[in-house]
Amino acid sequence: MSDLPPTHERLSRPSQSPGLVRYFTLFMAVLYVALGVSLWLVPAGMLRLGETPRQLLAVIFVFYGIVRFVRTYQQYFKKDRHEA
């Protein structure tokens, strides 16, 4: 059939080269923060959301963007102490 290892072996193995994925996840984190900030600053009449739901959604986007940024940084960019 095929020379590929079974799926469970391929999924348990860490990726050898994260490459573009790490920069894309950083970009998405910044995009979520920017979306939250823009929701916070947009005038109330531009969206069909009340003041409180709009601000709550903005806070959620900013918080989620920060969490994604920190997790991405720790996963892809922070040097492991054992490697140094």
Side-chain angles (χ1 to χ4, degrees):
M1 289 249 231
S2 176
D3 292 336
L4 288 174
T7 303
H8 70 287
E9 288 180 12
R10 285 184 284 143
L11 291 177
S12 64
R13 187 173 11 160
S15 176
Q16 299 295 354
S17 61
L20 195 59
V21 172
R22 63 181 169 177
Y23 295 110
F24 178 74
T25 53
L26 276 180
F27 172 74
M28 287 304 297
V30 170
L31 190 68
Y32 280 117
V33 172
L35 180 62
V37 169
S38 66
L39 270 175
W40 187 274
L41 297 177
V42 72
M46 289 187 75
L47 298 173
R48 293 183 178 223
L49 281 174
E51 185 74 18
T52 304
R54 185 173 52 86
Q55 289 178 348
L56 182 63
L57 191 60
V59 168
I60 290 171
F61 274 120
V62 169
F63 179 73
Y64 181 66
I66 291 170
V67 168
R68 276 190 69 138
F69 185 85
V70 169
R71 290 183 67 200
T72 301
Y73 177 77
Q74 288 176 346
Q75 182 177 1
Y76 293 116
F77 294 98
K78 192 173 184 180
K79 296 244 184 211
D80 192 13
R81 292 182 186 197
H82 300 292
E83 292 179 10

